[in-house]
Amino acid sequence: MYKRVMPNGEIQKLIITEETAKIRPYAVAAVLRNIKFTKDRYESFIELQEKLHQNICRKRALVAIGTHDLDTLSGPFTYTAKKPSDIKFKPLNKTKEYTACELMNIYKTDNHLKHYLHIIENKPLYPVIYDSNGVVLSMPPVINGHHSKITVNTRNIFIECTGTDFTKAKIVLDIIVTTFSEYCENQFTVEAAEVVFPNGKLHTFPELAYRKEMVRADLINKKVGIRETPENLAKLLTRMCLKSEVIGDGNQIEIEIPPTRADIIHACDIIEDAAIAYGYNNIQMTLPKTYTIANQFPLNKLTELLRHDMAAAGFTEALTFALCSQEDIADKLGLDISATKAVLISNPKTAEFQVARTTLLPGLLKTIAANRKMPLPLKLFEISDIVIKDSSRDVGARNYRHLCAVYYNKNPGFEIIHGLLDRLMQLLDVPPGEKKGGYVIKASEGPAFFPGRCAEIFARGQSIGKLGVLHPDVITKFELTMPCSCVEINIEPFL
Amino acid sequence: MADGPVAEVLLQRLEAADGGLDSAELAAELGVEHQTVVGAVKSLQALGEIIEAELRSTKRWELTAEGEEIAREGSHEARVFRSVPPEGLPQSELMRLPSGKVGFSKAMSNKWIRVDKSAADGPRVFRVVDSVEDEVQRRLQLVQGGQAEKLGEKERSELRKRKLLTEVNLKTYWVSKGSAFSTSISKQETELSPEMISSGSWRDRPFKPYNFSAHGVLPDSGHLHPLLKVRTQFRQIFLEMGFTEMPTDNYIESSFWNFDALFQPQQHPARDQHDTFFLRDPAQAQQLPMDYVHRVKRTHSQGGYGSQGYKYNWKLDEARKNLLRTHTTSASARALYRLAQKKPFTAAKYFSIDRVFRNETLDATHLAEFHQIEGVVADHGLTLGHLMGVLREFFSKLGITQLRFKPTYNPYTEPSMEVFSYHQGLKKWVEVGNSGIFRPEMLLPMGLPENVSVIAWGLSLERPTMIKYGINNIRELVGHKVNLQMVYDSPLCRLDAERGPPSTQEAA
């Protein structure tokens, strides 16, 4: 049982000033008294803080942990926020003092710390913790002071956690102190510390709250698919360090949730622990009696049918990326990006992730360019989704299922691509001709096409796409050398 | 060519020969190029068992061009000797002769000539001996006559150093009689023709033996992409198990459906810029089902439905942020929400296989885009045992019969299990999927009845495809850098076709 105890002498105090409110309002604190470190325990202590920083603290943005050798300091401690130029101290592992501004510059090239600078960098005031003699304990969330550095010989530790999420700060403090209280002289005890908030309210930490939850034994059995007695279930949970006993009518299990289990927020968390203790591989596998008739998503059903017949027509299927560069869907096709209604991605790491594709053509042309050594002709196709902005949709964008085919050879092969279109219409049972439900192609033009060799396709009363010989500019911009024809249509009107 | 004159002569000589004959020798005898004889040998071979031809590699010494010249005209030094008259010759004149420069030093070292430097009009060359033996010419002529073996090793290498001799690898054939030997050969047909059929002349014609070890002509066909062939098979499996396909034709999703509706908190690291592609335009989702949104907000920040909640400030703006979906579980959430609006509740089985996007570190097995396979069952009273049973049926259709389960963590399932199967080749258990039971905090705000459980599992499409087709770098499979030859050559996707006998499926 983890206990919070009052100190023999005066309780350590951490006073929070109102300046912290705008940048990093919350702080909690505790003391580990008479701890005995070995080299392994010390390294583990540092590692635990790093791991917590990386996950629950969300890379120090939510919570940052500072641990200090209490014997080098003297309380009460003040947690405040000051102008960067007014903060000056010797940081951990450095030999001289620096102002906060200087430190921001120095750490820009530090592979470990540079990731945390942005949390406070552009703010007018930086958080900082002092002791009563003006010694800087830390400048969270970036770096601790060198003065209070913990070593393997440290006996008394002052821990402070600051952050923007109060719940997480409390959880993080509980985790650290419970884990390392094992090595205190008074094992599993943690010395209390007091935090004074700007409004004058006093809080004592760590909370180390235990709470009791009640779960029915038959609920556990029902959810897992086992048939254990309530007593056995209580034993299983106790083995998982969730002390449990059967109470009441013999069907209720009372479980004590320790402060080390902040993850238990619903009965399902307890049920999982019971299942783990039982052993997943011991659970009997059964089939649900759920009777259902399957249905295909119509668009995918149509796609599957068309794919097979495209291959039967002699074309080879490609699978290209949905994300590409702005150039790929605009400049290289003779268009301006604003005309494409493309969805734009924020902060792409490389040009290859700037936009979502609005046409399948660039992907196929890039596939040809990457397979230059293959024998001609190259006949490729792809039936897949493109993305367009659409304000009528809840998210403001939608997919369209397109079919695109290209013919790449010493001759453009317009008649081959045209023939492929005719074959597709035949398969979709769309007769040639203007009359209702039929298809027709009409001369058209487009910046991606060779003049006089482009047509728009109309089927079932709407324009479904274009076909034609590609413009030499397009061919060269995609690093190709041979003539090329293509067709690209939206297949959704054929559902 | 098999009916050419050379071939005929070869057959005749072979008949008379004892054992066999050498192609090079025959060529020399007939005075034809060796290649001509080789051609005849090859065409006779094609006719069947008429002759046997054994390839032999012999080394032969031959004269270089210069060597031939010397064999004809004599060595440079001999020529130099002969051009010096008894009264001698001025050195300068000697040097102007064709063989002068080269032959002079050799003739000097042979002590055939001497130079009188004190002569009146410049150095003068005189004979030392009366006559000389042109050894070099003699030796070269020996080689020319095919008697190179008469020369010693040292003599041969000396001539080679002077670039008068080269060693040549000669490939000749030792030709002998075959089992069907005959001196008369008739021209063989290669193909049956319409004329032969109508006239019946095929009965009297011999046909050239067919080379069954050569390849045929591949038909001019189109091809399906291997990853999508695997997708077709997985779709089949789900349909066979009674699962209905969910609509997933929306790459763009709001944070609400991708994270919040799944009870993934807003401060979760996965919602960082580092792991998720957020959108610049359109940046926010404008329409969300607001009463449902409020229930989700309450569950996150305060708890409810039997949960403590996460106890943080939930922000609507954060939920509106648009992104490229990081999993198809957002589509499952939409489907389950729609299901929950239908009263009374009817059980459902859903699946989807579609593209998802992750903004993570890329390497040989990871791309920013990949395909996720997801299966979901919603019904009253489903247990972890049911989930395992469904998984066993699903994976057995992939030919995987031995499964083991390990506890794991997902933000939206509890309990959660990693699924492992035993890999024969690697001789170890490998992860084949992830699964779990959706949390009540996710299902209850949707309006699903309290005793309805939803079990779900997922895996990637790329991983089993790469294992099935033996591909190590994902870029060769997905994207424009695909190896088209691999697409042309890839076999049918038969997921349950196992390599090796069934008995090896036993776990270690």
Side-chain angles (χ1 to χ4, degrees), chain A residues 165 167 222 265 269 290 292 295 297 300 317 322 344 389 395, chain B residues 223 242 245 267 280-281 308 311 322 369 379 383 405 439 479:
Chain A
D165 184 321
T167 310
K222 223 165 58 121
I265 58 177
D269 298 296
T290 317
T292 52
N295 278 313
F297 184 53
N300 292 349
E317 193 173 30
L344 310 176
K389 285 205 301 189
V395 295
Chain B
H223 311 269
E245 198 171 20
Q267 335 117 315
R280 184 149 55 95
D281 183 20
Q308 303 267 319
K311 296 193 168 45
N322 278 339
E369 309 177 27
D379 200 0
T383 70
F405 303 90
R439 292 190 73 106

PDB file of all heavy atoms in Angstrom, chain A residues 165 167 222 265 269 290 292 295 297 300 317 322 344 389 395, chain B residues 223 242 245 267 280-281 308 311 322 369 379 383 405 439 479:
ATOM      1  N   ASP A 165      -2.050  20.250 -18.432  1.00  0.00           N
ATOM      2  CA  ASP A 165      -3.149  19.326 -18.138  1.00  0.00           C
ATOM      3  C   ASP A 165      -3.001  18.868 -16.690  1.00  0.00           C
ATOM      4  O   ASP A 165      -2.082  18.127 -16.363  1.00  0.00           O
ATOM      5  CB  ASP A 165      -3.077  18.144 -19.111  1.00  0.00           C
ATOM      6  CG  ASP A 165      -4.241  17.174 -18.951  1.00  0.00           C
ATOM      7  OD1 ASP A 165      -4.665  16.898 -17.803  1.00  0.00           O
ATOM      8  OD2 ASP A 165      -4.732  16.684 -19.977  1.00  0.00           O
ATOM      9  N   THR A 167      -4.876  16.923 -14.742  1.00  0.00           N
ATOM     10  CA  THR A 167      -5.081  15.492 -14.489  1.00  0.00           C
ATOM     11  C   THR A 167      -3.806  14.708 -14.810  1.00  0.00           C
ATOM     12  O   THR A 167      -3.351  13.871 -14.020  1.00  0.00           O
ATOM     13  CB  THR A 167      -6.241  14.946 -15.352  1.00  0.00           C
ATOM     14  OG1 THR A 167      -7.360  15.783 -15.193  1.00  0.00           O
ATOM     15  CG2 THR A 167      -6.567  13.515 -14.984  1.00  0.00           C
ATOM     16  N   LYS A 222     -19.321 -13.108 -18.777  1.00  0.00           N
ATOM     17  CA  LYS A 222     -20.076 -12.894 -20.018  1.00  0.00           C
ATOM     18  C   LYS A 222     -19.232 -12.203 -21.088  1.00  0.00           C
ATOM     19  O   LYS A 222     -19.291 -12.557 -22.257  1.00  0.00           O
ATOM     20  CB  LYS A 222     -21.302 -12.018 -19.709  1.00  0.00           C
ATOM     21  CG  LYS A 222     -22.568 -12.500 -20.386  1.00  0.00           C
ATOM     22  CD  LYS A 222     -23.802 -11.852 -19.790  1.00  0.00           C
ATOM     23  CE  LYS A 222     -23.773 -10.363 -19.872  1.00  0.00           C
ATOM     24  NZ  LYS A 222     -24.893  -9.787 -20.602  1.00  0.00           N
ATOM     25  N   ILE A 265     -10.364   3.142 -16.212  1.00  0.00           N
ATOM     26  CA  ILE A 265     -11.394   4.177 -16.155  1.00  0.00           C
ATOM     27  C   ILE A 265     -12.792   3.617 -16.375  1.00  0.00           C
ATOM     28  O   ILE A 265     -13.778   4.316 -16.239  1.00  0.00           O
ATOM     29  CB  ILE A 265     -11.123   5.314 -17.165  1.00  0.00           C
ATOM     30  CG1 ILE A 265     -11.034   4.758 -18.592  1.00  0.00           C
ATOM     31  CG2 ILE A 265      -9.848   6.054 -16.813  1.00  0.00           C
ATOM     32  CD1 ILE A 265     -10.853   5.858 -19.626  1.00  0.00           C
ATOM     33  N   ASP A 269     -11.786  -2.091 -18.467  1.00  0.00           N
ATOM     34  CA  ASP A 269     -10.354  -2.172 -18.165  1.00  0.00           C
ATOM     35  C   ASP A 269     -10.089  -3.267 -17.144  1.00  0.00           C
ATOM     36  O   ASP A 269      -9.070  -3.961 -17.211  1.00  0.00           O
ATOM     37  CB  ASP A 269      -9.848  -0.822 -17.638  1.00  0.00           C
ATOM     38  CG  ASP A 269     -10.005   0.277 -18.661  1.00  0.00           C
ATOM     39  OD1 ASP A 269      -9.358   0.170 -19.713  1.00  0.00           O
ATOM     40  OD2 ASP A 269     -10.782   1.227 -18.421  1.00  0.00           O
ATOM     41  N   THR A 290     -24.366 -15.024 -35.020  1.00  0.00           N
ATOM     42  CA  THR A 290     -24.858 -13.886 -35.795  1.00  0.00           C
ATOM     43  C   THR A 290     -25.121 -14.288 -37.237  1.00  0.00           C
ATOM     44  O   THR A 290     -24.202 -14.675 -37.962  1.00  0.00           O
ATOM     45  CB  THR A 290     -23.807 -12.753 -35.765  1.00  0.00           C
ATOM     46  OG1 THR A 290     -23.298 -12.634 -34.445  1.00  0.00           O
ATOM     47  CG2 THR A 290     -24.397 -11.444 -36.207  1.00  0.00           C
ATOM     48  N   THR A 292     -26.088 -13.238 -40.879  1.00  0.00           N
ATOM     49  CA  THR A 292     -26.176 -12.050 -41.744  1.00  0.00           C
ATOM     50  C   THR A 292     -26.017 -12.468 -43.195  1.00  0.00           C
ATOM     51  O   THR A 292     -25.396 -13.468 -43.507  1.00  0.00           O
ATOM     52  CB  THR A 292     -25.063 -11.040 -41.426  1.00  0.00           C
ATOM     53  OG1 THR A 292     -23.806 -11.725 -41.447  1.00  0.00           O
ATOM     54  CG2 THR A 292     -25.248 -10.381 -40.079  1.00  0.00           C
ATOM     55  N   ASN A 295     -23.419  -8.135 -48.352  1.00  0.00           N
ATOM     56  CA  ASN A 295     -23.648  -7.272 -49.505  1.00  0.00           C
ATOM     57  C   ASN A 295     -22.350  -6.608 -49.916  1.00  0.00           C
ATOM     58  O   ASN A 295     -21.563  -6.215 -49.065  1.00  0.00           O
ATOM     59  CB  ASN A 295     -24.660  -6.173 -49.163  1.00  0.00           C
ATOM     60  CG  ASN A 295     -26.073  -6.668 -49.262  1.00  0.00           C
ATOM     61  OD1 ASN A 295     -26.452  -7.307 -50.236  1.00  0.00           O
ATOM     62  ND2 ASN A 295     -26.868  -6.401 -48.237  1.00  0.00           N
ATOM     63  N   PHE A 297     -20.331  -3.456 -51.606  1.00  0.00           N
ATOM     64  CA  PHE A 297     -20.507  -2.030 -51.850  1.00  0.00           C
ATOM     65  C   PHE A 297     -20.572  -1.857 -53.366  1.00  0.00           C
ATOM     66  O   PHE A 297     -19.612  -2.246 -54.068  1.00  0.00           O
ATOM     67  CB  PHE A 297     -19.336  -1.258 -51.236  1.00  0.00           C
ATOM     68  CG  PHE A 297     -19.457   0.229 -51.339  1.00  0.00           C
ATOM     69  CD1 PHE A 297     -20.601   0.887 -50.896  1.00  0.00           C
ATOM     70  CD2 PHE A 297     -18.424   0.992 -51.869  1.00  0.00           C
ATOM     71  CE1 PHE A 297     -20.702   2.262 -50.991  1.00  0.00           C
ATOM     72  CE2 PHE A 297     -18.510   2.361 -51.965  1.00  0.00           C
ATOM     73  CZ  PHE A 297     -19.663   3.004 -51.532  1.00  0.00           C
ATOM     74  N   ASN A 300     -17.556  -0.803 -55.451  1.00  0.00           N
ATOM     75  CA  ASN A 300     -16.455  -1.761 -55.466  1.00  0.00           C
ATOM     76  C   ASN A 300     -16.791  -2.978 -56.318  1.00  0.00           C
ATOM     77  O   ASN A 300     -15.920  -3.542 -56.982  1.00  0.00           O
ATOM     78  CB  ASN A 300     -16.108  -2.216 -54.040  1.00  0.00           C
ATOM     79  CG  ASN A 300     -15.505  -1.084 -53.210  1.00  0.00           C
ATOM     80  OD1 ASN A 300     -15.162  -0.036 -53.736  1.00  0.00           O
ATOM     81  ND2 ASN A 300     -15.379  -1.302 -51.920  1.00  0.00           N
ATOM     82  N   GLU A 317      -2.589  -3.539 -64.880  1.00  0.00           N
ATOM     83  CA  GLU A 317      -3.040  -2.697 -63.771  1.00  0.00           C
ATOM     84  C   GLU A 317      -1.886  -2.100 -62.979  1.00  0.00           C
ATOM     85  O   GLU A 317      -0.915  -2.779 -62.649  1.00  0.00           O
ATOM     86  CB  GLU A 317      -3.895  -3.544 -62.829  1.00  0.00           C
ATOM     87  CG  GLU A 317      -4.670  -2.740 -61.806  1.00  0.00           C
ATOM     88  CD  GLU A 317      -5.636  -3.604 -61.011  1.00  0.00           C
ATOM     89  OE1 GLU A 317      -5.319  -4.798 -60.824  1.00  0.00           O
ATOM     90  OE2 GLU A 317      -6.675  -3.099 -60.591  1.00  0.00           O
ATOM     91  N   ALA A 322      -1.949   8.121 -53.924  1.00  0.00           N
ATOM     92  CA  ALA A 322      -3.029   9.104 -53.924  1.00  0.00           C
ATOM     93  C   ALA A 322      -2.496  10.491 -53.616  1.00  0.00           C
ATOM     94  O   ALA A 322      -3.141  11.493 -53.906  1.00  0.00           O
ATOM     95  CB  ALA A 322      -4.080   8.722 -52.893  1.00  0.00           C
ATOM     96  N   LEU A 344      -5.521  20.351 -50.320  1.00  0.00           N
ATOM     97  CA  LEU A 344      -4.131  20.663 -50.009  1.00  0.00           C
ATOM     98  C   LEU A 344      -3.761  20.168 -48.613  1.00  0.00           C
ATOM     99  O   LEU A 344      -4.523  20.336 -47.670  1.00  0.00           O
ATOM    100  CB  LEU A 344      -3.912  22.181 -50.069  1.00  0.00           C
ATOM    101  CG  LEU A 344      -4.414  22.878 -51.325  1.00  0.00           C
ATOM    102  CD1 LEU A 344      -4.225  24.388 -51.202  1.00  0.00           C
ATOM    103  CD2 LEU A 344      -3.665  22.368 -52.549  1.00  0.00           C
ATOM    104  N   LYS A 389     -12.374  18.893 -53.814  1.00  0.00           N
ATOM    105  CA  LYS A 389     -13.077  19.664 -52.787  1.00  0.00           C
ATOM    106  C   LYS A 389     -14.559  19.717 -53.136  1.00  0.00           C
ATOM    107  O   LYS A 389     -14.927  19.867 -54.309  1.00  0.00           O
ATOM    108  CB  LYS A 389     -12.533  21.100 -52.734  1.00  0.00           C
ATOM    109  CG  LYS A 389     -11.183  21.190 -52.065  1.00  0.00           C
ATOM    110  CD  LYS A 389     -10.906  22.556 -51.471  1.00  0.00           C
ATOM    111  CE  LYS A 389     -10.960  23.640 -52.520  1.00  0.00           C
ATOM    112  NZ  LYS A 389     -10.481  24.924 -51.971  1.00  0.00           N
ATOM    113  N   VAL A 395     -17.246  16.890 -44.680  1.00  0.00           N
ATOM    114  CA  VAL A 395     -15.849  17.265 -44.452  1.00  0.00           C
ATOM    115  C   VAL A 395     -15.348  18.294 -45.469  1.00  0.00           C
ATOM    116  O   VAL A 395     -14.272  18.832 -45.337  1.00  0.00           O
ATOM    117  CB  VAL A 395     -14.913  16.037 -44.452  1.00  0.00           C
ATOM    118  CG1 VAL A 395     -15.229  15.131 -43.287  1.00  0.00           C
ATOM    119  CG2 VAL A 395     -14.995  15.293 -45.757  1.00  0.00           C
TER     120      VAL A 395
ATOM    121  N   HIS B 223      -2.617  -7.633 -67.331  1.00  0.00           N
ATOM    122  CA  HIS B 223      -2.299  -8.221 -66.043  1.00  0.00           C
ATOM    123  C   HIS B 223      -2.947  -7.433 -64.918  1.00  0.00           C
ATOM    124  O   HIS B 223      -3.137  -6.223 -65.034  1.00  0.00           O
ATOM    125  CB  HIS B 223      -0.785  -8.214 -65.826  1.00  0.00           C
ATOM    126  CG  HIS B 223      -0.026  -8.760 -66.993  1.00  0.00           C
ATOM    127  ND1 HIS B 223       0.299 -10.081 -67.112  1.00  0.00           N
ATOM    128  CD2 HIS B 223       0.454  -8.160 -68.108  1.00  0.00           C
ATOM    129  CE1 HIS B 223       0.945 -10.269 -68.243  1.00  0.00           C
ATOM    130  NE2 HIS B 223       1.052  -9.125 -68.868  1.00  0.00           N
ATOM    131  N   GLY B 242     -20.179 -13.840 -44.752  1.00  0.00           N
ATOM    132  CA  GLY B 242     -21.406 -13.086 -44.505  1.00  0.00           C
ATOM    133  C   GLY B 242     -21.195 -11.643 -44.081  1.00  0.00           C
ATOM    134  O   GLY B 242     -22.078 -11.029 -43.509  1.00  0.00           O
ATOM    135  N   GLU B 245     -19.886  -5.137 -47.099  1.00  0.00           N
ATOM    136  CA  GLU B 245     -18.821  -4.164 -47.348  1.00  0.00           C
ATOM    137  C   GLU B 245     -19.268  -2.748 -46.983  1.00  0.00           C
ATOM    138  O   GLU B 245     -20.316  -2.284 -47.420  1.00  0.00           O
ATOM    139  CB  GLU B 245     -18.455  -4.219 -48.831  1.00  0.00           C
ATOM    140  CG  GLU B 245     -17.124  -3.608 -49.159  1.00  0.00           C
ATOM    141  CD  GLU B 245     -16.726  -3.879 -50.597  1.00  0.00           C
ATOM    142  OE1 GLU B 245     -17.614  -4.190 -51.401  1.00  0.00           O
ATOM    143  OE2 GLU B 245     -15.529  -3.782 -50.895  1.00  0.00           O
ATOM    144  N   GLN B 267      -5.407  14.796 -26.723  1.00  0.00           N
ATOM    145  CA  GLN B 267      -3.977  14.997 -26.459  1.00  0.00           C
ATOM    146  C   GLN B 267      -3.173  13.757 -26.796  1.00  0.00           C
ATOM    147  O   GLN B 267      -2.012  13.663 -26.470  1.00  0.00           O
ATOM    148  CB  GLN B 267      -3.713  15.329 -24.982  1.00  0.00           C
ATOM    149  CG  GLN B 267      -4.864  15.950 -24.253  1.00  0.00           C
ATOM    150  CD  GLN B 267      -5.327  15.037 -23.128  1.00  0.00           C
ATOM    151  OE1 GLN B 267      -5.475  13.826 -23.323  1.00  0.00           O
ATOM    152  NE2 GLN B 267      -5.483  15.588 -21.960  1.00  0.00           N
ATOM    153  N   ARG B 280      -4.672  21.595 -45.213  1.00  0.00           N
ATOM    154  CA  ARG B 280      -4.657  23.057 -45.256  1.00  0.00           C
ATOM    155  C   ARG B 280      -5.993  23.531 -45.828  1.00  0.00           C
ATOM    156  O   ARG B 280      -6.552  24.528 -45.421  1.00  0.00           O
ATOM    157  CB  ARG B 280      -3.479  23.494 -46.142  1.00  0.00           C
ATOM    158  CG  ARG B 280      -3.281  24.984 -46.208  1.00  0.00           C
ATOM    159  CD  ARG B 280      -1.794  25.324 -46.401  1.00  0.00           C
ATOM    160  NE  ARG B 280      -1.176  24.692 -47.547  1.00  0.00           N
ATOM    161  CZ  ARG B 280      -1.046  25.266 -48.744  1.00  0.00           C
ATOM    162  NH1 ARG B 280      -1.500  26.472 -48.956  1.00  0.00           N
ATOM    163  NH2 ARG B 280      -0.444  24.619 -49.729  1.00  0.00           N
ATOM    164  N   ASP B 281      -6.496  22.772 -46.822  1.00  0.00           N
ATOM    165  CA  ASP B 281      -7.720  23.171 -47.492  1.00  0.00           C
ATOM    166  C   ASP B 281      -8.424  21.953 -48.067  1.00  0.00           C
ATOM    167  O   ASP B 281      -7.826  21.295 -48.916  1.00  0.00           O
ATOM    168  CB  ASP B 281      -7.359  24.145 -48.638  1.00  0.00           C
ATOM    169  CG  ASP B 281      -8.590  24.683 -49.364  1.00  0.00           C
ATOM    170  OD1 ASP B 281      -9.695  24.635 -48.785  1.00  0.00           O
ATOM    171  OD2 ASP B 281      -8.441  25.159 -50.494  1.00  0.00           O
ATOM    172  N   GLN B 308     -14.845   6.919 -16.132  1.00  0.00           N
ATOM    173  CA  GLN B 308     -14.292   8.119 -15.495  1.00  0.00           C
ATOM    174  C   GLN B 308     -14.026   9.211 -16.528  1.00  0.00           C
ATOM    175  O   GLN B 308     -13.905  10.380 -16.198  1.00  0.00           O
ATOM    176  CB  GLN B 308     -12.952   7.784 -14.845  1.00  0.00           C
ATOM    177  CG  GLN B 308     -13.003   6.665 -13.838  1.00  0.00           C
ATOM    178  CD  GLN B 308     -13.210   7.207 -12.455  1.00  0.00           C
ATOM    179  OE1 GLN B 308     -12.620   8.218 -12.107  1.00  0.00           O
ATOM    180  NE2 GLN B 308     -14.046   6.567 -11.681  1.00  0.00           N
ATOM    181  N   LYS B 311     -10.974  13.425 -18.360  1.00  0.00           N
ATOM    182  CA  LYS B 311     -10.909  14.640 -17.536  1.00  0.00           C
ATOM    183  C   LYS B 311      -9.950  15.678 -18.134  1.00  0.00           C
ATOM    184  O   LYS B 311      -8.945  16.032 -17.534  1.00  0.00           O
ATOM    185  CB  LYS B 311     -10.496  14.299 -16.099  1.00  0.00           C
ATOM    186  CG  LYS B 311     -11.527  13.430 -15.396  1.00  0.00           C
ATOM    187  CD  LYS B 311     -11.250  13.373 -13.916  1.00  0.00           C
ATOM    188  CE  LYS B 311     -12.359  12.776 -13.095  1.00  0.00           C
ATOM    189  NZ  LYS B 311     -12.979  11.559 -13.570  1.00  0.00           N
ATOM    190  N   ASN B 322      -9.688  18.641 -40.316  1.00  0.00           N
ATOM    191  CA  ASN B 322      -9.706  17.620 -41.348  1.00  0.00           C
ATOM    192  C   ASN B 322      -8.348  16.967 -41.504  1.00  0.00           C
ATOM    193  O   ASN B 322      -7.317  17.590 -41.268  1.00  0.00           O
ATOM    194  CB  ASN B 322     -10.130  18.232 -42.689  1.00  0.00           C
ATOM    195  CG  ASN B 322     -11.628  18.355 -42.809  1.00  0.00           C
ATOM    196  OD1 ASN B 322     -12.371  17.673 -42.121  1.00  0.00           O
ATOM    197  ND2 ASN B 322     -12.063  19.234 -43.693  1.00  0.00           N
ATOM    198  N   GLU B 369       1.322   5.688 -47.614  1.00  0.00           N
ATOM    199  CA  GLU B 369      -0.024   5.156 -47.907  1.00  0.00           C
ATOM    200  C   GLU B 369       0.019   3.641 -47.903  1.00  0.00           C
ATOM    201  O   GLU B 369       0.936   3.048 -48.471  1.00  0.00           O
ATOM    202  CB  GLU B 369      -0.459   5.579 -49.320  1.00  0.00           C
ATOM    203  CG  GLU B 369      -0.336   7.030 -49.619  1.00  0.00           C
ATOM    204  CD  GLU B 369      -0.714   7.344 -51.058  1.00  0.00           C
ATOM    205  OE1 GLU B 369      -1.512   6.590 -51.645  1.00  0.00           O
ATOM    206  OE2 GLU B 369      -0.190   8.314 -51.596  1.00  0.00           O
ATOM    207  N   ASP B 379     -23.218  -7.469 -32.150  1.00  0.00           N
ATOM    208  CA  ASP B 379     -24.351  -8.333 -31.783  1.00  0.00           C
ATOM    209  C   ASP B 379     -24.486  -8.334 -30.269  1.00  0.00           C
ATOM    210  O   ASP B 379     -23.600  -7.876 -29.553  1.00  0.00           O
ATOM    211  CB  ASP B 379     -24.113  -9.751 -32.305  1.00  0.00           C
ATOM    212  CG  ASP B 379     -25.408 -10.559 -32.389  1.00  0.00           C
ATOM    213  OD1 ASP B 379     -26.487 -10.016 -32.039  1.00  0.00           O
ATOM    214  OD2 ASP B 379     -25.341 -11.726 -32.806  1.00  0.00           O
ATOM    215  N   THR B 383     -18.428 -12.231 -26.974  1.00  0.00           N
ATOM    216  CA  THR B 383     -17.347 -12.340 -25.993  1.00  0.00           C
ATOM    217  C   THR B 383     -15.998 -12.353 -26.686  1.00  0.00           C
ATOM    218  O   THR B 383     -15.913 -12.443 -27.917  1.00  0.00           O
ATOM    219  CB  THR B 383     -17.467 -13.651 -25.202  1.00  0.00           C
ATOM    220  OG1 THR B 383     -17.144 -14.740 -26.105  1.00  0.00           O
ATOM    221  CG2 THR B 383     -18.870 -13.864 -24.664  1.00  0.00           C
ATOM    222  N   PHE B 405      -2.739 -15.677 -29.097  1.00  0.00           N
ATOM    223  CA  PHE B 405      -3.145 -14.301 -28.830  1.00  0.00           C
ATOM    224  C   PHE B 405      -2.337 -13.715 -27.700  1.00  0.00           C
ATOM    225  O   PHE B 405      -2.019 -14.383 -26.731  1.00  0.00           O
ATOM    226  CB  PHE B 405      -4.638 -14.269 -28.479  1.00  0.00           C
ATOM    227  CG  PHE B 405      -5.492 -14.852 -29.557  1.00  0.00           C
ATOM    228  CD1 PHE B 405      -5.798 -16.207 -29.558  1.00  0.00           C
ATOM    229  CD2 PHE B 405      -5.954 -14.059 -30.592  1.00  0.00           C
ATOM    230  CE1 PHE B 405      -6.569 -16.753 -30.574  1.00  0.00           C
ATOM    231  CE2 PHE B 405      -6.722 -14.592 -31.609  1.00  0.00           C
ATOM    232  CZ  PHE B 405      -7.035 -15.954 -31.594  1.00  0.00           C
ATOM    233  N   ARG B 439     -14.532  -0.159 -26.954  1.00  0.00           N
ATOM    234  CA  ARG B 439     -14.845   0.348 -25.619  1.00  0.00           C
ATOM    235  C   ARG B 439     -16.286   0.849 -25.538  1.00  0.00           C
ATOM    236  O   ARG B 439     -16.799   1.415 -26.508  1.00  0.00           O
ATOM    237  CB  ARG B 439     -13.906   1.500 -25.255  1.00  0.00           C
ATOM    238  CG  ARG B 439     -12.459   1.110 -25.051  1.00  0.00           C
ATOM    239  CD  ARG B 439     -11.682   2.264 -24.463  1.00  0.00           C
ATOM    240  NE  ARG B 439     -12.046   2.452 -23.066  1.00  0.00           N
ATOM    241  CZ  ARG B 439     -11.273   2.108 -22.040  1.00  0.00           C
ATOM    242  NH1 ARG B 439     -10.096   1.555 -22.249  1.00  0.00           N
ATOM    243  NH2 ARG B 439     -11.688   2.313 -20.804  1.00  0.00           N
ATOM    244  N   GLY B 479       2.949   1.872 -55.773  1.00  0.00           N
ATOM    245  CA  GLY B 479       3.441   3.154 -56.255  1.00  0.00           C
ATOM    246  C   GLY B 479       3.976   3.054 -57.673  1.00  0.00           C
ATOM    247  O   GLY B 479       3.988   1.983 -58.281  1.00  0.00           O
TER     248      GLY B 479
END
